[in-house]
Amino acid sequence: TAPLLSRGRVEFPDGFIWGAATASYQIEGAVNEDGRGRSIWDTFSATPGKVARGDTGEVACDHYHRYVDDVRLMRELGLRAYRFSVAWPRIQPDGSGTPNPRGLDFYDRLVDELLRHDITPYVTLYHWDLPQALEDRGGWTSRETAHRFADYAEIVYARLGDRVRSWTTLNEPWVSAFLGYGNGVHAPGRSDPADALRAAHHLLLAHGLGVRALRAAGARELMLVINSSPVLTPAQVIDPDATPSAADAEAVELIHALLNRQFLDPVLRGSYPPEVLKVVERHCGLAHIADDDLGTINAPIDLVGVNYYNPCTVEAGPGTPADPAWPGSEGVRFRTPDVPATAMGWPIVPTGLSRLLLRLSRDYPGVGLLVTENGAAFDDTVTDGRVHDADRIAYLDGHLRALHAAIAAGADVRGYLAWSLLDNFEWAEGYHRRFGLVYVDYTTQARIPKDSALWYRDVIIRNGLTR
Ligand code: PNW
């Protein structure tokens, strides 16, 4: 660990990637422009009661019109990498067929603008804005959607592949499947555990077919991004060395299988964990899993993107009914650990990030890791044109130290992308939850870099933390 801890400061490896992330529906706005079709999030957010305060992505950060200024801002903040997503309904308004050239033009201009400022683009093809026309034909519960995704991936690659090196198929398929089709908190707002489990498989198939198409077209760096939490008992949240009881350890491993292994095992090992198959079989049978699907899903990838916010805290709870987002979890009690939390109510546990990165590196050797999201919502306020978000700086500082400790202990972590560049449309929470390094005034669309953004710029310049 000596070279990493030289001169009493926390220093990251040479070439460590520093940047920030966003997603199309959360920032773009301009939902009716240049031939964009409707997505499931347009429909969902227009449905009363689904999103806090009735917020929608109609205007959002108006990034579609302001991307030139936003890229200049990224440059001023010293970002070396920018992860964004492509809105599928801009490319194929009805989810299939002839591409819409004006939709492709936008991302073409964005990529050129990034490259002009020496910022490396990380493209995510699917960050939850499914074309509504595909949802009308079954959405992710339909196998067809996976094939449509591969066609779409090929179209976007054909336009941007000469300039974009890094390609992510899906963002957080667990959230798409289990919040979209399990508990209905996200679009399309359906709630049936059998549908959620089928959706999970079809998302994996979309990933595999997408990888196949992108590889055939020449893509070099392919990635799947997951919302991976380490699963811990309440005692382990407080003391990482605590030893759980046998019953609690079993609850932990079951939830780890449902949240993390359900996606990573098929992709990186070519098989579902037995405990996941049991749950799938019980809820919807296995008929939707074709013989060669796992071979398709297991196509080699280069990186796993890790989005980390908080651990998942559980213990054995005999007789506990399953949460609709967690089919198979009956007998497991989900707990809120007794530690400080963000404005989302999400517990702040930096050591969870080291633990997660080390477990993933150990369990899935041979694939690099990239932290593709990490950050926090706090109740930011503007005073004299500034946002003094010391709480966010502390959050980021703690998590970067934890990330550094994981690297020092052997985890292969290539970089860190903060969530998010801008305050934005926080899905079911709408605009009142602010995750940005940059504050957005939604009345004027003014951007105000928070203290955390200025702090982060220094971190990037130094390639590490002082003290
Ligand atoms: C991720 N959960 O979403 C997404 O990738 C981002 O678009 C989002 O803004 C960010 O994290 C902050 O929420 C999640 O309830 C949303 O488990 C909800 C959950 C997890 C991730």
Side-chain angles (χ1 to χ4, degrees):
T1 69
L4 291 163
L5 294 169
S6 58
R7 280 163 282 125
R9 37 185 220 129
V10 170
E11 201 173 322
F12 287 82
D14 282 344
F16 193 75
I17 298 154
W18 292 104
T22 64
S24 48
Y25 191 71
Q26 294 182 274
I27 65 166
E28 287 178 358
V31 294
N32 295 316
E33 269 172 72
D34 293 337
R36 177 186 178 277
R38 288 178 65 76
S39 84
I40 55 174
W41 272 96
D42 297 295
T43 308
F44 188 76
S45 61
T47 310
K50 297 298 187 187
V51 174
R53 305 174 191 203
D55 290 347
T56 77
E58 236 179 292
V59 179
C61 308
D62 196 34
H63 172 75
Y64 192 79
H65 300 117
R66 296 168 191 265
Y67 72 96
V68 171
D69 290 344
D70 287 341
V71 172
R72 189 188 316 124
L73 181 58
M74 291 175 213
R75 176 69 203 198
E76 284 163 12
L77 297 179
L79 305 188
R80 310 307 321 265
Y82 174 55
R83 171 178 180 251
F84 64 93
S85 76
V86 173
W88 186 347
R90 288 197 193 282
I91 308 306
Q92 292 176 299
D94 295 319
S96 60
T98 321
N100 166 33
R102 287 176 298 165
L104 286 164
D105 289 346
F106 171 69
Y107 298 103
D108 197 276
R109 295 193 300 270
L110 174 60
V111 165
D112 281 346
E113 199 62 22
L114 289 165
L115 295 175
R116 222 191 322 278
H117 289 80
D118 210 15
I119 298 168
T120 306
Y122 282 72
V123 172
T124 299
L125 288 162
Y126 184 72
H127 198 131
W128 306 354
D129 39 5
L130 186 73
Q132 180 63 42
L134 292 183
E135 176 57 28
D136 296 342
R137 301 207 291 273
W140 288 112
T141 66
S142 161
R143 198 178 167 84
E144 266 309 295
T145 302
H147 290 278
R148 296 292 73 77
F149 173 79
D151 297 346
Y152 156 67
E154 209 175 317
I155 291 167
V156 181
Y157 186 86
R159 186 66 182 267
L160 306 179
D162 57 337
R163 284 154 291 153
V164 173
R165 180 189 155 85
S166 185
W167 292 82
T168 294
T169 52
L170 311 175
N171 178 70
E172 301 189 349
W174 184 91
V175 173
S176 295
F178 293 95
L179 301 193
Y181 297 83
N183 68 8
V185 166
H186 280 192
R190 290 163 61 179
S191 38
D192 177 346
D195 282 340
L197 291 162
R198 274 190 286 263
H201 181 73
H202 295 142
L203 282 152
L204 282 165
L205 184 61
H207 163 81
L209 293 168
V211 165
R212 180 188 289 168
L214 292 164
R215 209 57 103 181
R220 288 191 296 161
E221 185 174 288
L222 295 178
M223 172 160 60
L224 173 69
V225 169
I226 61 163
N227 52 304
S228 47
S229 286
V231 185
L232 305 173
T233 61
Q236 286 178 313
V237 170
I238 313 291
D239 171 11
D241 295 326
T243 307
S245 70
D248 285 350
E250 199 179 313
V252 162
E253 286 310 309
L254 174 63
I255 299 304
H256 175 66
L258 293 173
L259 177 62
N260 300 316
R261 294 184 60 199
Q262 177 164 17
F263 298 91
L264 292 179
D265 279 22
V267 169
L268 300 172
R269 294 177 174 160
S271 60
Y272 276 111
E275 46 276 62
V276 169
L277 275 182
K278 233 187 280 171
V279 173
V280 175
E281 190 164 19
R282 180 148 45 85
H283 281 88
C284 61
L286 300 172
H288 63 291
I289 305 178
D291 281 344
D292 53 357
D293 284 358
L294 283 153
T296 305
I297 294 166
N298 186 215
I301 58 172
D302 305 285
L303 293 172
V304 167
V306 172
N307 293 352
Y308 174 74
Y309 293 92
N310 52 261
C312 186
T313 310
V314 304
E315 63 191 9
T320 312
D323 180 317
W326 293 93
S329 73
E330 40 288 288
V332 175
R333 189 177 292 139
F334 289 82
R335 296 286 311 272
T336 304
D338 193 14
V339 296
T342 69
M344 294 289 281
W346 294 354
I348 302 172
V349 187
T351 54
L353 179 58
S354 332
R355 204 178 174 107
L356 172 68
L357 294 169
L358 284 166
R359 176 156 191 184
L360 295 181
S361 309
R362 191 195 67 206
D363 289 357
Y364 305 99
V367 72
L369 303 175
L370 177 65
V371 175
T372 35
E373 289 182 25
N374 174 243
F378 290 106
D379 294 322
D380 301 314
T381 51
V382 182
T383 21
D384 301 329
R386 296 264 186 186
V387 180
H388 300 303
D389 57 341
D391 36 17
R392 184 172 291 99
I393 293 175
Y395 181 99
L396 297 172
D397 179 90
H399 286 78
L400 285 173
R401 283 169 199 278
L403 194 168
H404 186 269
I407 294 175
D412 178 11
V413 189
R414 311 284 173 82
Y416 178 87
L417 306 177
W419 184 268
S420 177
L421 174 69
L422 302 170
D423 290 339
N424 60 47
F425 176 77
E426 176 50 31
W427 307 113
E429 298 295 330
Y431 294 101
H432 75 292
R433 293 293 175 238
R434 295 178 174 274
F435 274 90
L437 295 169
V438 174
Y439 185 93
V440 175
D441 178 330
Y442 293 108
T443 311
T444 62
Q445 289 294 346
R447 272 73 163 135
I448 305 172
K450 302 177 192 178
D451 287 356
S452 57
L454 308 176
W455 171 87
Y456 191 48
R457 182 179 59 188
D458 286 346
V459 170
I460 297 172
I461 290 170
R462 297 197 179 102
N463 196 33
L465 306 162
T466 43
R467 266 182 292 147

